[in-house]
Every structure is written in structure tokens, then in C-alpha cells.
Amino acid sequence: MRSSAEVQTGARLEDQPEFMRQAIELATKNVTGGLGGPFGALVVRDGEVIATGVNRVTASNDPTAHAEVTAIRSACQRLGTYVLESCDLYTSCEPCPMCLAAIYWAHCRAVFYGSTAADAARAGFDDSRLYEEMRRPIRERSLPMTQMLAEEALASFAAWQAAPGKVKY
């Protein structure tokens, strides 16, 4: 029987449990090895693991070094592209808002995840504030945001639109 995602895309999605087990093992070893948080991810294409990633936030002092982001960065470097449309991402936990955005920007074909955002929240990794903030109008967010030099800032977009050799993404 075909999965609902397979029916929607018409492609064979790689929903293979061994890849999820690898992501979970990466996450667990990251914790037990004292290297970072309990998150692991794999980028898979045609049954092959292209790249792996683990949470490196505290190890690298980089708040963007989540497992999914590090796996995406590594896969893009290995494949020499910023588009992973033929790749599936396996992650030990449902992606946070930042990682989900990165997954969309990378054009991954599908995401398979182990634990949920609610599971992560119970373990001390609560993203609910981020989801709430994103739903609020800019002026109502807890982080002050002020637009400046709006007309001048448009020059960058005009330059982009006029650039003959641009690579659209």
C-alpha cells in the first residue's frame, strides 16, 4: 500500500525505518558523548545517506546548529547544490520552526520524524513560544522590530532584478 505522501507526489518516498533508527542513534550518542542536545538527522537520496547532522548548538556556540540544519549544510556541500529536491530528511524529532524553514528552503522532498514537538517540550526543548510569536503581527511580538530606510533597502532588490547572471532560488 502506498503512503499518503507517495500518493500526493507520485514518487517513492524512502520511509525506511533503518534511516530513522540511525537518526535516533545519532541523537542519543550526541547526548551520551557529551557533544550536544538529543537531536540527529540524515539526508537520504536513492537509498543512500548523503549527510548526517547532530545538534551542535552548545559545542559550536551557534544557535542555528540544529541537527537538521547541520545535515542540510553538509548534504548541500557534498552534492554541490543548494537544492535537495530529490532528498528525504530523517530527523529524530519533529523540526522546530527554524529547521522547518530551512527544510523548505532546501526543497527537501519529504520529512520523516521520530518524536514530536510536545515530546521535546517535555524534555525541556519547548518551541511553542516561537510558533506563537510567528502568528502575531510584527508590532505585537515580544522582540521589538522596527523598519528603517525602506526606500533605500529596495535598491538591493532592484539590483537583483536587473542582474543578468543571477541564479534564482
Side-chain angles (χ1 to χ4, degrees), residues 111-143:
V111 176
F112 299 96
Y113 63 93
S115 55
T116 66
D119 297 327
R122 283 190 293 278
F125 299 92
D126 191 354
D127 299 334
S128 61
R129 180 182 69 87
L130 297 174
Y131 286 106
E132 291 167 12
E133 284 288 307
M134 290 169 50
R135 284 190 288 269
R136 293 181 179 155
I138 289 175
R139 297 261 183 228
E140 294 178 19
R141 293 180 183 164
S142 63
L143 178 66

Side-chain angles (χ1 to χ4, degrees), residues 3-169:
S3 70
S4 61
E6 187 178 345
V7 171
Q8 290 172 357
T9 64
R12 167 81 173 98
L13 298 181
E14 299 183 25
D15 54 353
Q16 299 176 36
E18 65 269 17
F19 294 131
M20 182 57 66
R21 286 188 185 98
Q22 286 179 11
I24 294 167
E25 182 179 353
L26 284 170
T28 303
K29 285 184 176 181
N30 202 47
V31 173
T32 59
L35 301 172
F39 304 96
L42 310 170
V43 174
V44 176
R45 183 177 71 180
D46 298 329
E48 177 190 357
V49 176
I50 301 298
T52 65
V54 293
N55 180 281
R56 305 286 299 152
V57 171
T58 56
S60 63
N61 292 319
D62 179 355
T64 68
H66 290 200
E68 297 90 340
V69 172
T70 61
I72 288 169
R73 288 175 181 161
S74 181
C76 288
Q77 287 298 308
R78 179 169 177 205
L79 297 174
T81 183
Y82 55 88
V83 178
L84 301 175
E85 62 194 358
S86 62
C87 298
D88 299 329
L89 188 128
Y90 287 79
T91 179
S92 61
C93 185
E94 180 181 357
C96 76
M98 177 187 70
C99 292
L100 186 59
I103 292 163
Y104 274 103
W105 276 112
H107 300 279
C108 291
R109 184 173 66 161
V111 176
F112 299 96
Y113 63 93
S115 55
T116 66
D119 297 327
R122 283 190 293 278
F125 299 92
D126 191 354
D127 299 334
S128 61
R129 180 182 69 87
L130 297 174
Y131 286 106
E132 291 167 12
E133 284 288 307
M134 290 169 50
R135 284 190 288 269
R136 293 181 179 155
I138 289 175
R139 297 261 183 228
E140 294 178 19
R141 293 180 183 164
S142 63
L143 178 66
M145 296 179 68
T146 304
Q147 185 177 20
M148 296 177 60
L149 305 175
E151 289 299 316
E152 291 179 40
L154 292 175
S156 300
F157 290 119
W160 169 258
Q161 289 173 319
K166 66 181 167 244
V167 177
K168 294 182 180 183
Y169 59 98

